[in-house]
Amino acid sequence: MGSAPVESAPASRELSLAGKIVLVTGGSTGIGRATALACAEAGADVAVTYATNQAGADDTAALIRKLGRRTEVVRTDVTDSRAVTALASSVRTAFGRIDVWINNAGADILTDAAADVPWIEKLDRLLSVDLRGTVLASWAAVELMRAQDTGGVILNMAWDHVAAGGMTGEYAQVFCAAKGGVYSFSRALARTVAPHIRVNVLAPGWVETAYGAALDAAVKQRITDAIPLRRWARAEEVAAAAVFLACDAAGYITGQMLMVNGGDVI
């Protein structure tokens, strides 16, 4: 007489965030805006933060409302622990909880006047915003989610090059210093807060943002030729990966880094 069959989970689940509350830091433009909109399209209500670009954040919020979802816009300096604590409190007051916290805010050292500042200042900006800001926001998310019966999901942004040291040159060095820290911190955090909270990392490669649009055409083509898929990612493709990691279909994934880089094997 055989044993009773074990009921298995469905092979796949809908990539839905229906009924979820999502917070996206740095939601004014680029990957942050695309991620906020993708989460709203998947059924979530979405709060977005900005540091200086209020107009961009307001535009993101307007697009979220057009999708029929609720939204809040909060100005936040993610390098300030008190501001991050206030952010968590503000969003919880507005929505009752936070199910998914996506740390997308990052310092711009690539475009406009920021590209011309000294390397030490570029490093300081990245370590302050990208690394310290991610750590502070993740800690705030953990404190909030531990008090929720449903736990939550934290998603942090790194860079695909941190897996193998990146390219040559100072830009690779400073980005790997900051984003490599995000990657290692997130893995350690995932082990600490499991099983109540999942923590994962998104590691985009070359993405069509303001930097790509302004890049010298020959340099951009040389980079493109090295990518197996022979093109740069769209921000919406990175956002789609974020929705996957945030939703219940990824419920058995934690402490991992998903590289969205067109197959670039570094």
Side-chain angles (χ1 to χ4, degrees):
M1 184 176 179
S3 60
V6 177
E7 184 178 350
S8 61
S12 63
R13 298 180 184 177
E14 183 183 1
L15 300 186
S16 172
L17 294 174
K20 303 288 188 181
I21 307 300
V22 177
L23 168 62
V24 180
T25 67
S28 295
T29 60
I31 293 172
R33 171 179 287 181
T35 299
L37 295 178
C39 289
E41 289 170 350
D45 293 329
V46 185
V48 296
T49 78
Y50 71 96
T52 58
N53 187 359
Q54 181 177 356
D58 287 341
D59 287 345
T60 301
L63 292 170
I64 291 170
R65 293 188 184 100
K66 285 185 178 180
L67 293 168
R69 309 312 311 171
R70 294 184 297 157
T71 187
E72 292 285 331
V73 175
V74 185
R75 182 178 182 182
T76 304
D77 176 2
V78 296
T79 70
D80 183 338
S81 61
R82 291 172 296 183
V84 173
T85 298
L87 168 65
S89 177
S90 174
V91 176
R92 180 172 53 188
T93 297
F95 295 103
R97 67 184 191 282
I98 301 174
D99 300 301
V100 180
W101 188 311
I102 302 176
N103 287 311
N104 172 77
D108 178 14
I109 64 165
L110 297 172
T111 63
D112 300 327
D116 298 323
V117 302
W119 282 108
I120 290 178
E121 185 174 344
K122 290 177 180 177
L123 174 63
D124 287 344
R125 291 184 185 184
L126 288 175
L127 293 178
S128 180
V129 179
D130 294 61
L131 182 53
R132 174 185 167 88
T134 294
V135 171
L136 293 179
S138 295
W139 283 346
V142 167
E143 182 177 356
L144 185 151
M145 291 173 180
R146 276 179 166 162
Q148 300 175 167
D149 292 340
T150 54
V153 176
I154 299 170
L155 182 56
N156 294 328
M157 289 287 182
W159 184 38
D160 67 331
H161 284 60
V162 305
M167 312 167 295
T168 59
E170 287 85 352
Y171 274 117
Q173 293 166 27
V174 294
F175 271 108
C176 282
K179 294 301 191 179
V182 169
Y183 168 58
S184 296
F185 162 76
S186 300
R187 287 172 62 86
L189 183 66
R191 295 186 68 88
T192 302
V193 301
H196 199 58
I197 302 168
R198 294 192 297 112
V199 183
N200 286 300
V201 181
L202 261 184
W206 299 101
V207 182
E208 292 284 7
T209 58
Y211 170 71
L215 192 62
D216 176 80
V219 173
K220 186 173 184 179
Q221 188 60 53
R222 186 163 62 248
I223 294 170
T224 303
D225 290 342
I227 301 171
L229 291 186
R230 296 296 189 272
R231 65 178 179 84
W232 289 35
R234 293 179 291 107
E236 291 79 9
E237 292 172 308
V238 180
V243 170
F244 165 65
L245 289 175
C247 77
D248 292 342
Y252 199 60
I253 301 174
T254 195
Q256 305 304 310
M257 181 167 72
L258 175 58
M259 290 193 268
V260 185
N261 66 357
D264 193 9
V265 180
I266 301 162

